[in-house]
């Protein structure tokens, strides 16, 4: 039987529909909706509201039993999650490469233990595997929800009603304060860990505890419009590198405005209509199936075009509806024609969970069951794990977990008696360092690089990027004398920024070179190779996956621009992807040490014959 909460507050389902649509669109096309991931934050606020309301009701009726609450949550969430995890494991066997399949087995095991967020946090970092190779990555948010369900009822069981309000405010303030701190110190920790998400649940909880609802239709309508506009603004404006506390804080405010306005006629019309309710009631199952579907499809067929995006979105709705009807409802609803009694429900869940956990563990332990391949293919698939140290990650290359003030002076101080070179930019600058040291043995190479950071003055990005740029252009270049400054990043195409750099360097008499954007792959090179049992046809397939970006910057004066495209693609139909049997790329964008050697050697040749002004 449905809870009266759901029957009396129809717009809640519409808010869930809004949340799942934002997440789905983001995962299909993050360029269109770069902040769509904030739909997860909206889910958290809604959960805080609903769970708190239910706990208060049962406490007032004297029916609050922790064991009964936990069993209801298991029946509500676990069957559909278990099916999703198991089917994803089976499908991944046919699509993912062994190392990705092994990682999926590991994440499946942690997902079944409601610890996926901890698992992905341990793997996090700028050079962790791409999200597009992790079909169970979205399970992190479900683990956070499950940890909330484990923790929050204890407050109601231990403390009386007079203390609920106090605890809610204290947890909200402490959690948000900690998030503000960790958003700068360790954004991955702030993103994945439950303590830094508590304030989002508390945003909904406080409305339930205080019984806040806007009864005046005009006031409620204004709140609804403001909340909707603020949420949409956040989805279209923020992105994955925006400040975590800012994005979360704005979304919590927007979500609370939506919850306050549920009694408005407009909310009933927009969010309480049958279509919104239908989507909202299936939002959990849609959330479960959509990400594995997208990841496995992209892994098998490459990037998505518009038709594929629409198709995958519709398939996600259909699979979500099927999962709800076939699995979620029979375990959850006593009125369902195929409803299962508690004993039958848990009698089915326990052995299937054990079997799925065993399967996941075997996949992880056996490293994804790699098949036999030709020796050369095996060599291609061996990863050179020196890249982090060669890029000087954590010192002169700041990853997303590192802050600017951690960078030591040795990264940028010049050395007397040698020619001095300064390398500026993002990770695509950092991965050149190794090769440049080999190609310029008599030079001292300084390095100030940071993940995803455009090196040009005035470019927008994270606080770390802004701090790095200000330091470089306001302090380092004014106090250190370099014989050459190299700037590069993955999207070098803004002519106005290039002019700004040229003016800055020319006025100060600093010699510089821009290294243009390199060719990239549309998916992991190892993933492409792993699908082959022999070398036959491999080069042709690798070439078909190379994205030959056109140089988008003017080459005048040529003295200050080196084309990575020309260096890595010696002909119109051939680009370098391996050198003497070793991969030139470690992922779709970054060079391996071998690739760094090659591109740096080509740069050294160009530099030796560099045209004059």
């Amino acid at each position: 039987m449905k809870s009266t909460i759901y029957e009396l507050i129809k717009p809640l389902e519409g808010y869930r529909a809004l949340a799942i649509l934002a997440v789905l669109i983001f995962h299909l096309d993050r360029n269109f909706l770069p902040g769509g991931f904030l739909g997860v934050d909206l889910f958290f606020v809604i959960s805080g509201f609903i769970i708190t309301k239910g706990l208060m009701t049962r406490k007032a009726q004297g029916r609050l039993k922790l064991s009964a609450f936990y069993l209801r949550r298991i029946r509500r969430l676990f069957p559909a999650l278990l099916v999703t995890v198991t089917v994803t494991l089976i499908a991944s066997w046919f699509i993912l490469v062994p190392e990705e399949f092994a990682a999926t087995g590991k994440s499946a095991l942690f997902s079944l233990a409601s610890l996926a967020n901890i698992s992905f946090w341990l793997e996090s970092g700028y050079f962790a595997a791409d999200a597009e190779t992790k079909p169970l990555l979205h399970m992190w948010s479900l683990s956070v929800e499950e940890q909330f369900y484990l923790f929050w009822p204890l407050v109601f069981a231990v403390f009386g009603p007079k203390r609920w309000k106090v605890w809610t405010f204290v947890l909200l303030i402490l959690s948000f304060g900690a998030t503000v701190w960790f958003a700068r110190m360790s954004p991955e920790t702030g993103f994945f860990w439950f303590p830094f998400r508590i304030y989002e649940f508390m945003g909904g909880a406080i409305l339930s505890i205080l019984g806040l609802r806007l009864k005046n239709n005009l006031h409620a309508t204004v709140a609804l419009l403001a909340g909707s506009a603020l949420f949409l603004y956040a989805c279209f404006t923020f992105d994955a590198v925006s400040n975590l506390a800012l994005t979360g804080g704005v979304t919590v405010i927007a979500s609370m405005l939506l919850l306050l306005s549920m009694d408005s006629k407009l909310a009933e019309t927009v969010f309480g209509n049958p279509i919104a309710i239908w989507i909202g009631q299936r939002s959990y199952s849609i959330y479960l199936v959509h990400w594995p579907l997208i990841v496995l499809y992209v892994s098998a067929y490459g990037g998505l075009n518009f038709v594929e995006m629409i198709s995958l979105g519709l398939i996600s709705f259909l699979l979500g509806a099927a999962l709800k009807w076939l699995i979620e409802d029979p375990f959850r609803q006593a009125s369902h024609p195929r409803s299962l009694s508690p004993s039958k429900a848990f009698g089915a869940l326990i052995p299937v969970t054990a079997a799925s956990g065993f399967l996941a563990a075997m996949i992880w332990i056996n490293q994804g069951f790699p098949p036999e391949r030709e020796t050369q293919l095996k060599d291609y698939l061996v990863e050179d794990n020196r890249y982090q140290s060669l890029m000087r990650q954590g010192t002169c290359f700041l990853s997303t977990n590192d802050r600017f003030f951690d960078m030591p002076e040795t990264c940028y101080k010049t050395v007397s008696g040698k020619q001095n070179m300064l390398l500026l930019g993002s990770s695509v600058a950092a991965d050149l360092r190794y090769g440049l040291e080999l190609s310029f043995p008599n030079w001292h190479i300084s390095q100030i690089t940071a993940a995803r950071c455009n090196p040009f003055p005035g470019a927008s990005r994270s606080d770390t990027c802004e701090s790095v740029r200000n330091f470089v252009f306001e302090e380092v270049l004014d106090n250190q004398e370099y014989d050459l400054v190299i700037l590069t990043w993955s999207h070098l195409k803004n002519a106005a920024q290039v002019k700004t750099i040229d003016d800055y360097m020319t006025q100060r008499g600093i010699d510089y070179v821009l290294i243009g954007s390199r060719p990239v792959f549309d998916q992991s090179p190892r993933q492409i190779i792993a699908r082959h049992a022999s070398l036959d046809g491999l080069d042709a397939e690798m070439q078909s996956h190379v994205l030959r970006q056109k140089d988008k910057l003017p080459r005048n004066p040529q003295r200050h621009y080196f084309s990575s495209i020309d260096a890595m693609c010696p002909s119109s139909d051939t680009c370098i992807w391996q050198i003497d049997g070793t991969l030139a790329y470690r992922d779709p964008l970054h060079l391996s040490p071998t690739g760094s050697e090659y591109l740096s050697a080509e740069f050294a040749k160009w530099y030796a014959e560099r045209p004059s002004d």
Side-chain angles (χ1 to χ4, degrees):
M1 176 178 280
K2 283 189 177 181
S3 166
T4 55
I5 296 173
Y6 299 96
E7 293 175 343
L8 294 176
I9 314 176
K10 293 180 180 179
L12 270 177
E13 299 297 353
Y15 297 157
R16 282 180 165 141
L18 176 63
I20 188 59
L21 287 172
V23 173
L24 180 59
I25 294 170
F26 169 74
H27 283 151
L28 289 170
D29 186 1
R30 62 186 58 193
N31 292 323
F32 175 74
L33 199 67
F37 61 90
L38 294 172
V40 171
D41 301 59
L42 176 54
F43 274 128
F44 288 163
V45 179
I46 293 172
S47 290
F49 177 85
I50 292 176
I51 296 302
T52 303
K53 191 172 183 66
L55 289 171
M56 289 173 60
T57 300
R58 291 184 177 90
K59 184 74 171 182
Q61 296 171 348
R63 297 190 296 116
L64 179 58
K65 294 182 180 179
L66 292 181
S67 59
F69 174 86
Y70 294 139
L71 290 175
R72 282 195 302 272
R73 289 293 92 195
I74 292 172
R75 291 190 66 173
R76 165 72 177 89
L77 299 174
F78 211 75
L81 183 149
L82 178 60
V83 169
T84 301
V85 167
T86 305
V87 172
T88 299
L89 284 175
I90 295 170
S92 297
W93 163 261
F94 298 98
I95 297 173
L96 298 182
V97 303
E99 61 184 20
E100 294 164 354
F101 187 41
T104 301
K106 175 187 174 184
S107 58
L109 201 59
F110 278 82
S111 297
L112 294 175
S114 299
L115 293 172
N117 59 324
I118 304 301
S119 174
F120 290 119
W121 171 73
L122 291 171
E123 297 174 6
S124 66
Y126 187 66
F127 290 103
D130 290 338
E132 287 74 13
T133 66
K134 297 178 178 180
L136 295 176
L137 179 60
H138 65 321
M139 293 291 177
W140 77 267
S141 68
L142 299 181
S143 291
V144 169
E145 288 251 13
E146 289 151 6
Q147 289 158 24
F148 169 69
Y149 298 149
L150 182 65
F151 156 76
W152 190 229
L154 297 176
V155 174
F156 284 79
V158 173
F159 298 102
K162 293 182 179 180
R163 296 286 185 90
W164 297 343
K165 186 190 305 182
V166 174
W167 273 106
T168 303
F169 274 112
V170 168
L171 289 170
L172 189 154
I173 293 170
L174 289 178
S175 175
F176 185 70
T179 303
V180 170
W181 176 257
F182 273 85
R184 299 180 66 88
M185 296 298 298
S186 179
E188 274 87 358
T189 303
F191 184 87
F192 283 113
W193 275 64
F194 167 61
F196 309 105
R197 295 288 182 169
I198 288 178
Y199 76 95
E200 297 182 324
F201 294 100
M202 295 301 100
I206 198 66
L207 296 182
S208 283
I209 290 174
L210 297 178
L212 294 178
R213 298 267 284 277
L214 294 174
K215 299 300 182 180
N216 181 285
N217 186 61
L218 176 60
H219 296 166
T221 300
V222 171
L224 179 71
L225 293 174
S228 300
L230 188 59
F231 180 74
L232 292 175
Y233 171 82
C235 288
F236 280 102
T237 304
F238 296 136
D239 60 22
V241 298
S242 297
N243 183 279
L244 181 66
L246 175 63
T247 59
V250 168
T251 307
V252 169
I253 293 171
S255 304
M256 292 176 72
L257 287 171
L258 292 174
L259 292 172
L260 284 169
S261 63
M262 288 186 295
D263 290 331
S264 71
K265 293 180 181 178
L266 185 60
E268 186 76 17
T269 301
V270 176
F271 293 104
N273 65 73
I275 295 175
I277 291 173
W278 188 92
I279 297 173
Q281 289 175 338
R282 290 153 184 80
S283 58
Y284 175 60
S285 289
I286 294 170
Y287 184 82
L288 283 172
V289 302
H290 85 283
W291 183 240
L293 175 66
I294 293 170
V295 168
L296 295 177
Y297 183 90
V298 171
S299 295
Y301 300 106
L304 302 178
N305 59 38
F306 180 74
V307 173
E308 290 170 321
M309 291 178 191
I310 297 298
S311 299
L312 288 175
L314 293 175
I315 294 171
S316 296
F317 275 78
L318 293 175
L319 290 178
L323 184 63
K324 182 179 186 298
W325 171 250
L326 294 172
I327 304 297
E328 193 178 340
D329 287 348
F331 279 88
R332 179 187 178 193
Q333 297 178 5
S335 60
H336 193 276
R338 292 180 290 104
S339 176
L340 298 175
S341 65
S343 59
K344 289 184 178 179
F346 287 98
L349 281 177
I350 291 172
V352 176
T353 301
S356 184
F358 178 78
L359 174 63
M362 290 299 99
I363 293 169
W364 183 18
I365 291 169
N366 289 281
Q367 301 180 331
F369 301 104
E372 286 299 319
R373 295 188 174 93
E374 290 183 8
T375 301
Q376 183 59 69
L377 285 174
K378 289 181 180 178
D379 291 342
Y380 283 142
L381 294 172
V382 174
E383 186 169 5
D384 189 333
N385 291 317
R386 296 177 297 158
Y387 64 91
Q388 291 183 332
S389 60
L390 296 178
M391 294 172 67
R392 301 185 75 182
Q393 183 171 340
T395 53
C396 304
F397 170 65
L398 303 180
S399 187
T400 49
N401 264 333
D402 304 314
R403 297 300 100 181
F404 167 66
F405 47 75
D406 295 329
M407 186 173 285
E409 281 190 355
T410 52
C411 291
Y412 53 83
K413 292 206 75 169
T414 55
V415 173
S416 59
K418 280 194 169 187
Q419 289 180 291
N420 286 277
M421 178 189 301
L422 175 62
L423 185 60
L424 300 175
S426 61
S427 54
V428 297
D431 70 12
L432 281 175
R433 181 192 173 90
Y434 169 68
L436 289 173
E437 287 185 329
L438 296 177
S439 296
F440 293 85
N442 298 320
W443 288 60
H444 173 71
I445 299 177
S446 299
Q447 175 187 345
I448 303 178
T449 53
R452 303 187 181 100
C453 284
N454 183 334
F456 299 110
S460 62
R461 264 303 183 187
S462 66
D463 293 343
T464 297
C465 294
E466 187 175 352
S467 297
V468 169
R469 283 192 297 266
N470 290 341
F471 180 66
V472 168
F473 292 102
E474 295 176 8
E475 294 187 42
V476 173
L477 291 178
D478 284 339
N479 295 299
Q480 304 288 326
E481 293 187 6
Y482 299 100
D483 298 284
L484 179 65
V485 175
I486 294 177
L487 305 96
T488 186
W489 86 304
S490 56
H491 304 289
L492 193 56
K493 59 186 179 182
N494 190 313
Q497 291 178 349
V498 171
K499 186 178 186 308
T500 301
I501 281 289
D502 187 63
D503 291 343
Y504 179 95
M505 298 295 188
T506 302
Q507 289 171 6
R508 289 162 176 77
I510 301 173
D511 192 15
Y512 76 96
V513 171
L514 303 175
I515 295 183
S517 301
R518 64 187 57 156
V520 299
F521 284 84
D522 62 8
Q523 57 184 284
S524 165
R526 284 187 176 79
Q527 193 175 62
I528 300 167
I529 293 169
R531 298 195 190 104
H532 281 252
S534 70
L535 295 172
D536 294 340
L538 179 59
D539 182 69
E541 182 168 358
M542 293 296 286
Q543 299 298 338
S544 71
H545 287 282
V546 176
L547 303 178
R548 297 169 177 82
Q549 306 178 88
K550 293 183 179 179
D551 282 334
K552 297 182 179 180
L553 293 177
R555 301 193 182 192
N556 186 25
Q558 292 184 350
R559 176 178 174 78
H560 297 295
Y561 186 79
F562 171 75
S563 172
S564 295
I565 300 291
D566 291 348
M568 297 295 290
C569 298
S571 68
S572 60
D573 59 354
T574 302
C575 290
I576 302 295
W577 61 270
Q578 62 88 24
I579 299 160
D580 297 330
T582 303
L583 276 179
Y585 287 78
R586 67 162 304 274
D587 61 32
L589 172 63
H590 299 99
L591 298 174
S592 67
T594 299
S596 178
E597 284 186 54
Y598 176 84
L599 186 56
S600 297
E602 293 298 305
F603 174 74
K605 294 177 188 175
W606 173 87
Y607 185 77
E609 302 171 354
R610 189 183 184 195
S612 60
D613 285 325

